[in-house]
Amino acid sequence: MKNKLEAKNVDVFYGKLKALNNINIGITENAVTALIGPSGCGKSTFLRLFNRMNDYIDSFKLNGDIYIDNTNIYDKSVLVDELRKNVGMVFQKPNPFPKSIFDNVAYGLKIQGINDKKFIKKRVEDALMQAALWDEVKDDLDKSALALSGGQQQRVCIARALAVEPSILLMDEPTSALDPIATAKVEKLIYTLKEKYTIIIVTHNMQQAGRISDYTAFFYMGDLIEFDKTDTIFTNPKMERTENYITGRFG
């Protein structure tokens, strides 16, 4: 399996605060990688490096290199809008637009200037199928996405991210606002999506990381303490701090 994403000697600062310290990691293509660790340990900061969302924070400063497909994405020649087409993002709380289900999923295509109605219709349909939502909404595509349940709204947001055909999907605690049944549906979906996508998920839920990820990275106080196959991290971690966190002794 080859690395799709890499971080090399990465430090992140917000002003004088150091949020990440010398992170080195390679993320495998077509796999799910979970980022775990207590609140404020740098997981979301690390996740947002891959679509340059931290650029919006004035005090943000990066040392080191972030690569996608061997391209340094912080190089001045990189077009950030193009990068973000390739790197989809799903947030903690479902954030559908106050538009129809169809228009939510088609949104990214339309802002790219695509006007071919037949093409858009096909992409929306495909994305909703990939998001395991098509059968639930196919007769109601004109309905407001805001009228859906929380779990359905989150799957609309996943479909919206998939419609523009990225190769990478970043998920920042995508099920933390959902009930157990909706969470199970999204988890099942994530597991199937890795056939086509490279997925990084931030989660506070140890059981979730164990269920859906192939690899797990444990962050603590801005340091990457341990990174390995998920089975190894959960059954035979090398570092005592990893074991203490996973067994609930701190965190």
Side-chain angles (χ1 to χ4, degrees):
M1 301 285 272
K2 71 170 186 150
N3 285 338
K4 178 79 175 172
L5 309 107
E6 276 186 282
K8 291 187 178 175
N9 306 318
V10 166
D11 298 322
V12 169
F13 296 85
Y14 296 122
K16 290 182 179 169
L17 173 76
K18 195 171 192 184
L20 288 174
N21 181 45
N22 196 32
I23 307 297
N24 288 280
I25 192 171
I27 302 225
T28 304
E29 190 170 39
N30 296 113
V32 179
T33 299
L35 312 181
I36 63 170
S39 295
C41 68
K43 306 182 298 291
S44 291
T45 290
F46 181 70
L47 184 79
R48 292 194 302 258
L49 289 173
F50 291 102
N51 65 351
R52 295 192 48 172
M53 287 283 280
N54 295 318
D55 292 17
Y56 293 117
I57 301 165
D58 288 340
S59 59
F60 166 73
K61 183 181 166 223
L62 169 77
N63 294 334
D65 299 308
I66 298 282
Y67 294 92
I68 295 178
D69 294 324
N70 298 317
T71 297
N72 184 347
I73 63 167
Y74 284 81
D75 189 88
K76 288 188 169 57
S77 65
V78 168
L79 300 170
V80 178
D81 287 348
E82 291 297 316
L83 166 74
R84 289 189 184 134
K85 285 180 198 171
N86 187 40
V87 186
M89 180 98 187
V90 178
F91 294 94
Q92 188 168 358
K93 289 196 174 126
N95 60 341
F97 303 129
K99 300 171 181 280
S100 70
I101 296 165
F102 185 93
D103 285 341
N104 261 274
V105 181
Y107 179 79
L109 298 166
K110 288 179 178 174
I111 61 168
Q112 285 181 19
I114 295 168
N115 298 314
D116 182 335
K117 286 185 177 168
K118 205 168 167 186
F119 177 81
I120 291 173
K121 184 170 179 280
K122 175 82 166 66
R123 284 299 314 133
V124 168
E125 206 171 299
D126 288 350
L128 285 166
M129 281 182 179
Q130 282 185 288
L133 193 58
W134 175 250
D135 288 341
E136 294 168 47
V137 302
K138 63 185 176 190
D139 299 323
D140 250 346
L141 294 177
D142 292 334
K143 177 176 167 180
S144 169
L146 298 175
L148 297 171
S149 70
Q152 288 174 320
Q153 287 186 18
Q154 190 63 303
R155 281 182 286 150
V156 164
C157 295
I158 292 170
R160 188 172 69 200
L162 298 179
V164 295
E165 300 189 295
S167 65
I168 296 158
L169 203 51
L170 308 179
M171 301 181 131
D172 198 350
E173 295 191 62
T175 63
S176 65
L178 304 182
D179 64 54
I181 292 168
T183 294
K185 284 186 176 173
V186 172
E187 285 185 4
K188 187 178 175 188
L189 169 61
I190 291 167
Y191 196 78
T192 59
L193 287 175
K194 71 180 179 183
E195 289 175 22
K196 275 193 78 173
Y197 304 93
T198 302
I199 299 170
I200 311 179
I201 177 170
V202 168
T203 180
H204 275 287
N205 183 327
M206 296 296 113
Q207 289 79 18
Q208 182 173 74
R211 282 191 298 266
I212 65 169
S213 69
D214 303 286
Y215 298 89
T216 296
F218 170 51
F219 284 81
Y220 183 66
M221 306 273 288
D223 289 319
L224 175 59
I225 305 298
E226 191 165 352
F227 174 59
D228 211 325
K229 287 186 173 170
T230 295
D231 289 350
T232 305
I233 291 282
F234 280 88
T235 60
N236 190 24
K238 295 180 184 67
M239 308 298 288
E240 189 180 350
R241 267 187 296 188
T242 311
E243 188 173 345
N244 286 345
Y245 182 71
I246 283 164
T247 55
R249 284 181 216 148
F250 77 89

